Amino acid sequence: MLKIGDKVRFLNDVGGGTISGFQGKDIVLVADEDGFEIPTLASEVVVVETDDYNIAKVIAGQKKKKADADKKAPTSVKNALAVSDDEEEEEEQDVADKELTYRPMAQERRGANELNLFLAFVPRNAKVLSESTFDVYLVNDCNYYFHYSLFTYDGRACRLRHEGEIAPNTKVLLEELQRNRIEEWQRLTVQTLAFKRDKAFFPKPAFSVNIRVDGTKFFKLHSFHPSDFFHEPALVYDVVKDDHAARSMFVDADELQEAMQTPDEQMHPQVMRVSAAEKRATRKQDRNAIIEVDLHADELLDTMAGLEAKDILEYQLKVFRETMNEHLKERGRRIVFIHGKGEGVLRNAILKELRKNFKQCQYQDASFREYGYGATMVTI
């Protein structure tokens, strides 16, 4: 039974404190280190340190101790110095300052011994998605502990972003992700090692899972769905699902090429190289073909709900830049960007980009007969 004065920790969140009171039958007030009282369901806390007395008795004991000390106050300077020396030598350590050595057992669920680990992005303000930041969580939905390491990529090199341990059936907040840093999370790797403490368990394999996070989903309100882990809609990616690693969402180009080879090509690599050269020559001849890119918002985005005009324009220009950079080395390549007539905002923004970042390219209005006044043709 929970009592005032018990030290507790939260089951489904980080932290804890001391029980300072109750609200009804099911709510306890947990006072943290700063003295703030946090109403919490009694079923969501676990006792980590307790005694047979409560706060009221502690306060009464402290008052009695002070009264006894006042009665024994020294009547001379010599006695005062002696008492002072004894107090320094026999200074007692506050129980609250002692390190907690008790570790409560993990809370397990029936039928949850298959590994399930998820990466989730939760908008802090889903109603104004275009201005919201995102909380990044790792969610452990099984009865095993996980040691985890999360890497993000800069080119082909990776960087350790987060590491730690997550308890069974809990979630941990990794960071608050700003909108202008979403690109840093588009490629990542999560490595895991699963185990149980203080009991026998069936061993599980270690995993190294590559994940591709689609940055465009952060602009689409329907990408965020209700889940069992959050009160708010969330974008959830599988890391490990039912003891199996999530399917890798990005692969090395050499590995992909090898996987696509026929058995005959694997036996005769020279034939494969000639074939690749022929394909490159074919692509070179195809540079006379015009590439069309429709930049209308309804073609690029599944929905525009929750997005402001500036967010839509930013995404349209992102697609424009990516297309230009993809073909920038293809001299003579012609690309038609269909932007529509409208008020000319997107067209003017494209022309500004061309003058500033693609000075080596030529541009003109595309064929009026085919595209009307709503397209610009760029020649690399």
Side-chain angles (χ1 to χ4, degrees):
M1 178 181 292
L2 299 173
K3 304 185 296 297
I4 294 177
D6 287 350
K7 288 189 177 181
V8 298
R9 76 170 180 87
F10 301 126
L11 284 177
N12 296 318
D13 205 348
V14 178
T18 303
I19 294 180
S20 59
F22 297 87
Q23 288 184 351
K25 295 181 179 179
D26 300 324
I27 304 297
V28 296
L29 300 177
V30 180
D32 61 14
E33 295 178 355
D34 298 322
F36 293 101
E37 292 185 336
I38 306 170
T40 309
L41 286 172
S43 60
E44 294 186 0
V45 298
V46 61
V47 177
V48 296
E49 185 174 316
T50 185
D51 286 291
D52 293 330
Y53 52 84
N54 56 30
I55 292 297
K57 293 181 179 179
V58 171
I59 295 174
Q62 290 176 343
K63 289 182 178 179
K64 184 176 184 301
K65 184 176 179 181
K66 185 176 184 302
D68 292 340
D70 291 339
K71 292 179 180 179
K72 298 178 181 179
T75 56
S76 66
V77 175
K78 182 177 180 180
N79 291 338
L81 292 174
V83 171
S84 177
D85 291 340
D86 291 340
E87 288 178 351
E88 290 180 2
E89 292 176 0
E90 299 177 4
E91 182 178 356
E92 295 183 359
Q93 183 180 9
D94 190 342
V95 175
D97 294 333
K98 292 183 179 180
E99 182 180 356
L100 294 178
T101 57
Y102 171 74
R103 186 194 297 268
M105 293 186 65
Q107 300 297 309
E108 295 195 353
R109 297 180 293 119
R110 179 175 297 179
N113 282 320
E114 290 186 334
L115 300 185
N116 284 286
L117 186 68
F118 306 96
L119 182 69
F121 299 86
V122 183
R124 291 200 169 185
N125 189 353
K127 294 182 179 179
V128 190
L129 191 62
S130 60
E131 300 177 0
S132 178
T133 57
F134 302 87
D135 287 336
V136 185
Y137 285 91
L138 199 61
V139 181
N140 181 3
D141 189 35
C142 69
N143 292 337
Y144 280 73
Y145 286 85
F146 277 103
H147 279 311
Y148 66 88
S149 300
L150 187 148
F151 309 94
T152 53
Y153 285 80
D154 183 6
R156 300 195 67 177
C158 65
R159 182 187 301 274
L160 177 62
R161 188 125 186 172
H162 296 283
E163 63 175 331
E165 179 183 297
I166 181 170
N169 303 301
T170 60
K171 60 191 176 188
V172 59
L173 175 63
L174 298 180
E175 66 176 76
E176 179 185 357
L177 178 60
Q178 303 295 325
R179 179 172 290 278
N180 59 357
R181 303 190 68 180
I182 291 175
E183 290 186 0
E184 299 175 12
W185 281 78
Q186 289 189 345
R187 291 179 59 203
L188 56 93
T189 295
V190 180
Q191 295 182 344
T192 67
L193 178 65
F195 61 96
K196 289 189 178 183
R197 278 201 172 94
D198 304 323
K199 63 185 304 184
F201 62 92
F202 289 104
K204 301 285 186 176
F207 292 105
S208 182
V209 184
N210 296 326
I211 301 174
R212 172 78 73 176
V213 176
D214 186 355
T216 63
K217 290 183 179 293
F218 291 82
F219 293 87
K220 306 174 183 178
L221 187 60
H222 73 275
S223 299
F224 299 86
H225 302 283
S227 69
D228 296 332
F229 313 122
F230 306 96
H231 297 297
E232 306 83 3
L235 175 59
V236 180
Y237 286 88
D238 293 346
V239 180
V240 180
K241 181 69 173 176
D242 297 333
D243 280 348
H244 296 285
R247 183 171 60 88
S248 176
M249 299 304 291
F250 65 89
V251 296
D252 182 84
D254 296 333
E255 294 178 356
L256 180 61
Q257 184 180 25
E258 182 179 351
M260 294 176 65
Q261 291 177 19
T262 64
D264 185 61
E265 288 175 331
Q266 294 176 2
M267 294 295 294
H268 304 88
Q270 185 63 35
V271 175
M272 181 197 67
R273 286 195 293 269
V274 172
S275 177
E278 291 175 352
K279 291 178 181 178
R280 287 195 296 272
T282 302
R283 285 198 299 268
K284 186 174 181 180
Q285 294 173 0
D286 289 341
R287 289 183 184 176
N288 292 327
I290 295 177
I291 297 175
E292 294 182 355
V293 180
D294 194 339
L295 295 178
H296 283 94
D298 54 357
E299 290 292 331
L300 300 178
L301 299 169
D302 295 335
T303 179
M304 289 173 280
L307 297 179
E308 296 183 0
K310 63 179 181 178
D311 301 311
I312 298 173
L313 178 62
E314 179 184 342
Y315 186 69
Q316 290 171 316
L317 291 177
K318 179 176 179 291
V319 174
F320 167 78
R321 296 188 199 102
E322 290 176 349
T323 305
M324 289 295 297
N325 289 326
E326 180 182 355
H327 300 282
L328 202 55
K329 295 182 180 179
E330 301 177 8
R331 188 177 180 84
R333 170 71 73 187
R334 291 177 294 171
I335 308 173
V336 173
F337 293 98
I338 304 172
H339 45 67
K341 187 176 179 181
E343 298 179 359
V345 176
L346 178 57
R347 178 180 183 274
N348 292 333
I350 289 174
L351 297 182
K352 184 177 179 181
E353 284 283 335
L354 288 168
R355 298 188 193 104
K356 181 179 179 181
N357 300 319
F358 304 98
K359 297 179 180 179
Q360 71 275 32
C361 300
Q362 299 178 352
Y363 58 90
Q364 65 187 64
D365 290 335
S367 169
F368 169 75
R369 179 176 298 176
E370 295 185 40
Y371 306 103
Y373 291 106
T376 298
M377 184 172 71
V378 179
T379 303
I380 304 298

